[in-house]
Amino acid sequence: MKAERAGTKRDGRWLALYVLAYLVFLYLPVLLIPLFSLNDSIQAAFPLQGFTLQWYKTLYGNPALSGALLNSLVIGVIAASGATLCGITVSYMDLYGRSPLGTTISAIARLPILIPGVIVGISLLILVNLIGLGPSRVAIVLGHILVALPTTVVIMRSRFAAIPKTIREAALDLGATDWTTFRRVMLPLSLPAVLSAFMLAFLISFDEFIVVFFLAGTEPTLPLYIWSQLRFPRSLPTVMALGTVILAVSFIIAGTAEILRHRGLGAARRNPA
């Protein structure tokens, strides 16, 4: 028994060491970006030359950067709204629809997460050219809705599934129609998940690069602007400063979305009926 406990304890230590090494490998490069964004040198190398905020100051008054940021914000809000609306519809139809078609559509909606981004980008480029849109802001919005849709479907499906079925059945027994039950009962109970799905969809759209690379016309988004600046060594510190800001905002949005999602699931568990 003692030997067995010692073996289990030793295995636990090795597992903890592995997890720690994995986290360092995964997040250390990310943490280096804020560090070098404060370095008084155009080279991302040690030793550090000194502390400075000048790279952050260069972010202001840049018309190209402002235009790319505005494009990303507009596209992100529209794409997130479309993906969230589609995610609500698909997931609700999957769980409460009276046709097996709902399950099939839900499975298809989650497929893009399994398809390589390059394949998605090329396919969308061919499609928008065939229908006459061509690379444009509209094409980017459609592509971002496709990319963000799996996330919204997964979030909304789990939320709808956490709501006791007796609540919906009680509303139907009292004479409410399917639409009234959805609008007056199910949707209000799912509001935290809706907000969470919207925020994560916006984040996916805002950070998406591969689809934008194929579908962008004359109006690049922020990720495409950052990629274009990497060709110039003197722009690297500014890019790292911009990356630090994006990283901080992304953490805030993702954290808020996760809090909202767990709050909604927790409310459902505390009030099962």
Side-chain angles (χ1 to χ4, degrees):
M1 182 68 71
K2 290 183 178 180
E4 194 174 312
R5 290 179 180 174
T8 303
K9 192 174 182 179
R10 191 183 310 112
D11 292 341
R13 289 176 179 175
W14 280 110
L15 179 60
L17 183 62
Y18 167 77
V19 172
L20 179 62
Y22 176 78
L23 292 176
V24 170
F25 174 79
L26 186 64
Y27 290 107
L28 183 59
V30 177
L31 296 177
L32 289 177
I33 294 178
L35 179 63
F36 286 124
S37 70
L38 299 172
N39 185 30
D40 191 12
S41 174
I42 64 172
Q43 295 181 346
F46 291 103
L48 301 178
Q49 300 301 313
F51 177 83
T52 182
L53 294 174
Q54 64 174 322
W55 312 121
Y56 289 89
K57 295 177 182 179
T58 60
L59 299 177
Y60 298 98
N62 187 329
L65 173 59
S66 301
L69 176 60
L70 180 61
N71 283 335
S72 288
L73 292 175
V74 172
I75 292 172
V77 170
I78 298 175
S81 301
T84 303
L85 180 61
C86 292
I88 293 172
T89 305
V90 170
S91 57
Y92 192 81
M93 182 174 59
D94 181 18
L95 287 173
Y96 300 108
R98 297 184 177 89
S99 170
L101 183 62
T103 303
T104 304
I105 294 176
S106 178
I108 294 174
R110 285 174 280 182
L111 274 180
I113 202 172
L114 303 176
I115 303 175
V118 174
I119 303 301
V120 174
I122 294 174
S123 302
L124 290 173
L125 178 61
I126 295 174
L127 177 63
V128 297
N129 284 331
L130 287 176
I131 63 179
L133 282 177
S136 61
R137 184 183 292 186
V138 176
I140 296 175
V141 169
L142 295 177
H144 283 192
I145 291 176
L146 178 65
V147 173
L149 183 59
T151 300
T152 60
V153 170
V154 170
I155 293 175
M156 293 309 306
R157 193 182 188 283
S158 64
R159 181 66 186 103
F160 284 135
I163 299 175
K165 292 184 178 181
T166 53
I167 295 179
R168 180 175 181 272
E169 292 171 355
L172 294 174
D173 289 341
L174 291 173
T177 62
D178 284 335
W179 167 245
T180 302
T181 301
F182 170 76
R183 180 173 58 89
R184 300 287 297 273
V185 179
M186 304 300 288
L187 194 57
L189 290 175
S190 305
L191 187 58
V194 173
L195 296 177
S196 175
F198 175 84
M199 295 174 73
L200 290 180
F202 174 82
L203 197 57
I204 291 172
S205 173
F206 191 83
D207 295 335
E208 176 60 36
F209 170 76
I210 298 178
V211 170
V212 175
F213 183 80
F214 287 97
L215 299 181
T218 58
E219 299 176 301
T221 59
L222 194 58
L224 200 59
Y225 169 81
I226 293 174
W227 176 81
S228 67
Q229 294 300 303
L230 291 177
R231 295 175 294 174
F232 308 105
R234 290 190 171 276
S235 298
L236 183 58
T238 303
V239 169
M240 288 190 293
L242 179 59
T244 302
V245 175
I246 294 175
L247 190 63
V249 174
S250 298
F251 273 124
I252 294 172
I253 294 177
T256 304
E258 194 65 12
I259 291 172
L260 288 172
R261 188 177 70 86
H262 281 286
R263 179 174 297 178
L265 292 176
R269 295 191 186 100
R270 289 192 300 270
N271 303 289

CSV table of all heavy atoms in Angstrom, one decimal, residues 36-66:
chain,number,residue,atom,x,y,z
A,36,PHE,N,9.0,43.3,-24.4
A,36,PHE,CA,9.8,44.0,-25.5
A,36,PHE,C,9.1,45.3,-26.0
A,36,PHE,O,9.7,46.1,-26.5
A,36,PHE,CB,10.0,43.1,-26.7
A,36,PHE,CG,11.1,42.0,-26.4
A,36,PHE,CD1,10.8,40.7,-26.5
A,36,PHE,CD2,12.3,42.4,-25.9
A,36,PHE,CE1,11.7,39.7,-26.3
A,36,PHE,CE2,13.3,41.4,-25.7
A,36,PHE,CZ,13.0,40.1,-25.8
A,37,SER,N,7.8,45.4,-25.7
A,37,SER,CA,7.1,46.6,-26.1
A,37,SER,C,7.5,47.8,-25.3
A,37,SER,O,7.2,48.9,-25.6
A,37,SER,CB,5.5,46.4,-26.1
A,37,SER,OG,5.1,46.3,-24.7
A,38,LEU,N,8.0,47.5,-24.1
A,38,LEU,CA,8.5,48.5,-23.2
A,38,LEU,C,10.0,48.8,-23.3
A,38,LEU,O,10.6,49.5,-22.5
A,38,LEU,CB,8.2,48.2,-21.7
A,38,LEU,CG,6.7,48.0,-21.5
A,38,LEU,CD1,6.5,47.5,-20.1
A,38,LEU,CD2,5.9,49.3,-21.6
A,39,ASN,N,10.7,48.1,-24.2
A,39,ASN,CA,12.1,48.1,-24.4
A,39,ASN,C,12.5,49.3,-25.3
A,39,ASN,O,11.9,49.5,-26.4
A,39,ASN,CB,12.6,46.8,-24.9
A,39,ASN,CG,14.1,46.8,-25.0
A,39,ASN,OD1,14.8,47.4,-24.2
A,39,ASN,ND2,14.7,46.1,-26.0
A,40,ASP,N,13.5,50.1,-24.9
A,40,ASP,CA,13.9,51.2,-25.7
A,40,ASP,C,14.9,50.8,-26.8
A,40,ASP,O,16.1,51.2,-26.8
A,40,ASP,CB,14.6,52.3,-24.8
A,40,ASP,CG,14.8,53.6,-25.5
A,40,ASP,OD1,14.3,53.8,-26.6
A,40,ASP,OD2,15.5,54.4,-24.9
A,41,SER,N,14.4,49.9,-27.7
A,41,SER,CA,15.2,49.4,-28.8
A,41,SER,C,14.3,48.9,-29.8
A,41,SER,O,13.2,48.4,-29.5
A,41,SER,CB,16.2,48.4,-28.3
A,41,SER,OG,16.9,47.8,-29.4
A,42,ILE,N,14.7,49.0,-31.1
A,42,ILE,CA,13.9,48.4,-32.2
A,42,ILE,C,14.1,46.9,-32.3
A,42,ILE,O,13.4,46.2,-33.1
A,42,ILE,CB,14.2,49.1,-33.5
A,42,ILE,CG1,15.6,48.8,-33.9
A,42,ILE,CG2,13.9,50.6,-33.4
A,42,ILE,CD1,15.9,49.3,-35.4
A,43,GLN,N,15.1,46.3,-31.6
A,43,GLN,CA,15.4,44.9,-31.7
A,43,GLN,C,14.7,44.2,-30.5
A,43,GLN,O,14.9,44.6,-29.3
A,43,GLN,CB,16.9,44.7,-31.7
A,43,GLN,CG,17.6,45.2,-33.0
A,43,GLN,CD,19.0,44.9,-33.0
A,43,GLN,OE1,19.6,44.5,-32.0
A,43,GLN,NE2,19.7,45.1,-34.1
A,44,ALA,N,14.1,43.1,-30.8
A,44,ALA,CA,13.5,42.3,-29.7
A,44,ALA,C,14.6,41.3,-29.2
A,44,ALA,O,14.6,40.1,-29.7
A,44,ALA,CB,12.3,41.5,-30.2
A,45,ALA,N,15.5,41.7,-28.4
A,45,ALA,CA,16.6,40.9,-27.9
A,45,ALA,C,17.0,41.3,-26.6
A,45,ALA,O,16.7,42.5,-26.1
A,45,ALA,CB,17.7,41.0,-28.9
A,46,PHE,N,17.6,40.4,-25.9
A,46,PHE,CA,18.2,40.7,-24.6
A,46,PHE,C,19.7,41.1,-24.8
A,46,PHE,O,20.4,40.6,-25.7
A,46,PHE,CB,18.1,39.5,-23.6
A,46,PHE,CG,16.7,39.2,-23.2
A,46,PHE,CD1,16.0,38.2,-23.8
A,46,PHE,CD2,16.1,40.0,-22.2
A,46,PHE,CE1,14.7,37.9,-23.4
A,46,PHE,CE2,14.8,39.7,-21.8
A,46,PHE,CZ,14.1,38.7,-22.4
A,47,PRO,N,20.3,41.9,-23.9
A,47,PRO,CA,19.7,42.6,-22.7
A,47,PRO,C,18.8,43.7,-23.1
A,47,PRO,O,19.0,44.3,-24.2
A,47,PRO,CB,20.9,43.0,-21.9
A,47,PRO,CG,21.9,43.3,-23.0
A,47,PRO,CD,21.7,42.2,-24.0
A,48,LEU,N,17.8,44.1,-22.3
A,48,LEU,CA,17.0,45.2,-22.5
A,48,LEU,C,17.7,46.5,-22.4
A,48,LEU,O,18.6,46.7,-21.6
A,48,LEU,CB,15.8,45.2,-21.5
A,48,LEU,CG,14.9,43.9,-21.5
A,48,LEU,CD1,13.8,44.1,-20.5
A,48,LEU,CD2,14.3,43.7,-22.9
A,49,GLN,N,17.4,47.5,-23.3
A,49,GLN,CA,18.1,48.7,-23.3
A,49,GLN,C,17.6,49.8,-22.3
A,49,GLN,O,18.3,50.7,-21.9
A,49,GLN,CB,18.0,49.3,-24.7
A,49,GLN,CG,18.6,48.4,-25.8
A,49,GLN,CD,20.1,48.1,-25.5
A,49,GLN,OE1,20.9,49.0,-25.3
A,49,GLN,NE2,20.5,46.8,-25.6
A,50,GLY,N,16.3,49.6,-21.9
A,50,GLY,CA,15.8,50.6,-21.0
A,50,GLY,C,14.3,50.7,-21.2
A,50,GLY,O,13.7,50.1,-22.1
A,51,PHE,N,13.6,51.3,-20.2
A,51,PHE,CA,12.1,51.4,-20.2
A,51,PHE,C,11.7,52.6,-21.0
A,51,PHE,O,12.2,53.7,-20.9
A,51,PHE,CB,11.7,51.5,-18.7
A,51,PHE,CG,10.2,51.7,-18.6
A,51,PHE,CD1,9.3,50.6,-18.7
A,51,PHE,CD2,9.6,53.0,-18.5
A,51,PHE,CE1,8.0,50.8,-18.6
A,51,PHE,CE2,8.3,53.1,-18.4
A,51,PHE,CZ,7.4,52.0,-18.4
A,52,THR,N,10.6,52.4,-21.8
A,52,THR,CA,10.1,53.5,-22.6
A,52,THR,C,8.6,53.2,-23.0
A,52,THR,O,8.2,52.0,-23.1
A,52,THR,CB,10.9,53.7,-23.9
A,52,THR,OG1,10.3,54.8,-24.6
A,52,THR,CG2,10.8,52.5,-24.8
A,53,LEU,N,7.9,54.3,-23.1
A,53,LEU,CA,6.5,54.2,-23.6
A,53,LEU,C,6.3,54.8,-25.0
A,53,LEU,O,5.1,55.0,-25.4
A,53,LEU,CB,5.5,54.9,-22.6
A,53,LEU,CG,5.4,54.2,-21.2
A,53,LEU,CD1,4.5,55.1,-20.3
A,53,LEU,CD2,4.8,52.8,-21.3
A,54,GLN,N,7.4,55.1,-25.7
A,54,GLN,CA,7.3,55.8,-26.9
A,54,GLN,C,6.6,55.0,-28.0
A,54,GLN,O,6.0,55.5,-28.9
A,54,GLN,CB,8.7,56.2,-27.4
A,54,GLN,CG,9.6,55.0,-27.7
A,54,GLN,CD,10.9,55.5,-28.3
A,54,GLN,OE1,10.9,56.4,-29.1
A,54,GLN,NE2,12.0,54.8,-28.0
A,55,TRP,N,6.7,53.6,-27.9
A,55,TRP,CA,6.1,52.8,-28.9
A,55,TRP,C,4.6,52.8,-28.8
A,55,TRP,O,3.9,52.7,-29.8
A,55,TRP,CB,6.6,51.4,-28.8
A,55,TRP,CG,8.1,51.3,-28.7
A,55,TRP,CD1,8.8,50.7,-27.7
A,55,TRP,CD2,9.1,51.8,-29.7
A,55,TRP,NE1,10.2,50.8,-28.0
A,55,TRP,CE2,10.4,51.4,-29.2
A,55,TRP,CE3,9.0,52.4,-30.9
A,55,TRP,CZ2,11.5,51.8,-29.9
A,55,TRP,CZ3,10.1,52.8,-31.6
A,55,TRP,CH2,11.4,52.5,-31.0
A,56,TYR,N,4.1,53.0,-27.6
A,56,TYR,CA,2.6,53.1,-27.4
A,56,TYR,C,2.2,54.5,-27.9
A,56,TYR,O,1.0,54.6,-28.4
A,56,TYR,CB,2.3,53.0,-26.0
A,56,TYR,CG,2.4,51.5,-25.5
A,56,TYR,CD1,3.6,51.1,-24.9
A,56,TYR,CD2,1.4,50.6,-25.5
A,56,TYR,CE1,3.8,49.8,-24.5
A,56,TYR,CE2,1.5,49.3,-25.1
A,56,TYR,CZ,2.7,48.9,-24.6
A,56,TYR,OH,2.9,47.6,-24.1
A,57,LYS,N,3.0,55.5,-27.8
A,57,LYS,CA,2.6,56.8,-28.3
A,57,LYS,C,2.5,56.9,-29.8
A,57,LYS,O,1.7,57.7,-30.3
A,57,LYS,CB,3.6,57.9,-27.8
A,57,LYS,CG,3.7,58.0,-26.3
A,57,LYS,CD,4.8,59.0,-25.9
A,57,LYS,CE,4.9,59.2,-24.4
A,57,LYS,NZ,5.9,60.1,-23.9
A,58,THR,N,3.3,56.0,-30.5
A,58,THR,CA,3.2,56.0,-31.9
A,58,THR,C,1.9,55.4,-32.5
A,58,THR,O,1.6,55.5,-33.7
A,58,THR,CB,4.4,55.2,-32.5
A,58,THR,OG1,4.3,53.9,-32.0
A,58,THR,CG2,5.7,55.9,-32.1
A,59,LEU,N,1.1,54.8,-31.6
A,59,LEU,CA,-0.1,54.2,-32.0
A,59,LEU,C,-1.2,55.3,-32.3
A,59,LEU,O,-2.1,55.0,-33.1
A,59,LEU,CB,-0.7,53.2,-30.9
A,59,LEU,CG,0.2,52.0,-30.6
A,59,LEU,CD1,-0.4,51.2,-29.5
A,59,LEU,CD2,0.4,51.1,-31.8
A,60,TYR,N,-1.0,56.4,-31.7
A,60,TYR,CA,-2.0,57.5,-31.8
A,60,TYR,C,-1.6,58.3,-33.1
A,60,TYR,O,-0.4,58.6,-33.3
A,60,TYR,CB,-2.0,58.4,-30.6
A,60,TYR,CG,-2.5,57.6,-29.4
A,60,TYR,CD1,-1.5,57.1,-28.5
A,60,TYR,CD2,-3.8,57.4,-29.1
A,60,TYR,CE1,-2.0,56.5,-27.3
A,60,TYR,CE2,-4.2,56.7,-28.0
A,60,TYR,CZ,-3.3,56.2,-27.1
A,60,TYR,OH,-3.7,55.6,-26.0
A,61,GLY,N,-2.6,58.8,-33.8
A,61,GLY,CA,-2.4,59.6,-34.9
A,61,GLY,C,-1.9,58.9,-36.1
A,61,GLY,O,-1.4,59.5,-37.1
A,62,ASN,N,-2.1,57.6,-36.2
A,62,ASN,CA,-1.7,56.8,-37.4
A,62,ASN,C,-3.0,56.5,-38.2
A,62,ASN,O,-3.8,55.7,-37.8
A,62,ASN,CB,-1.1,55.5,-36.9
A,62,ASN,CG,-0.5,54.7,-38.1
A,62,ASN,OD1,-1.0,54.8,-39.2
A,62,ASN,ND2,0.5,54.0,-37.8
A,63,PRO,N,-3.2,57.2,-39.3
A,63,PRO,CA,-4.4,57.0,-40.1
A,63,PRO,C,-4.7,55.6,-40.6
A,63,PRO,O,-5.8,55.1,-40.6
A,63,PRO,CB,-4.3,58.0,-41.2
A,63,PRO,CG,-2.8,58.3,-41.3
A,63,PRO,CD,-2.3,58.1,-40.0
A,64,ALA,N,-3.6,54.9,-41.0
A,64,ALA,CA,-3.7,53.5,-41.5
A,64,ALA,C,-4.2,52.6,-40.4
A,64,ALA,O,-5.0,51.7,-40.6
A,64,ALA,CB,-2.4,53.1,-42.1
A,65,LEU,N,-3.6,52.8,-39.2
A,65,LEU,CA,-4.0,52.0,-38.1
A,65,LEU,C,-5.4,52.3,-37.7
A,65,LEU,O,-6.2,51.3,-37.4
A,65,LEU,CB,-3.0,52.3,-36.9
A,65,LEU,CG,-3.3,51.6,-35.6
A,65,LEU,CD1,-3.4,50.1,-35.7
A,65,LEU,CD2,-2.3,52.0,-34.5
A,66,SER,N,-5.8,53.5,-37.6
A,66,SER,CA,-7.2,53.9,-37.3
A,66,SER,C,-8.2,53.3,-38.2
A,66,SER,O,-9.2,52.8,-37.8
A,66,SER,CB,-7.3,55.4,-37.2
A,66,SER,OG,-6.4,56.0,-36.3
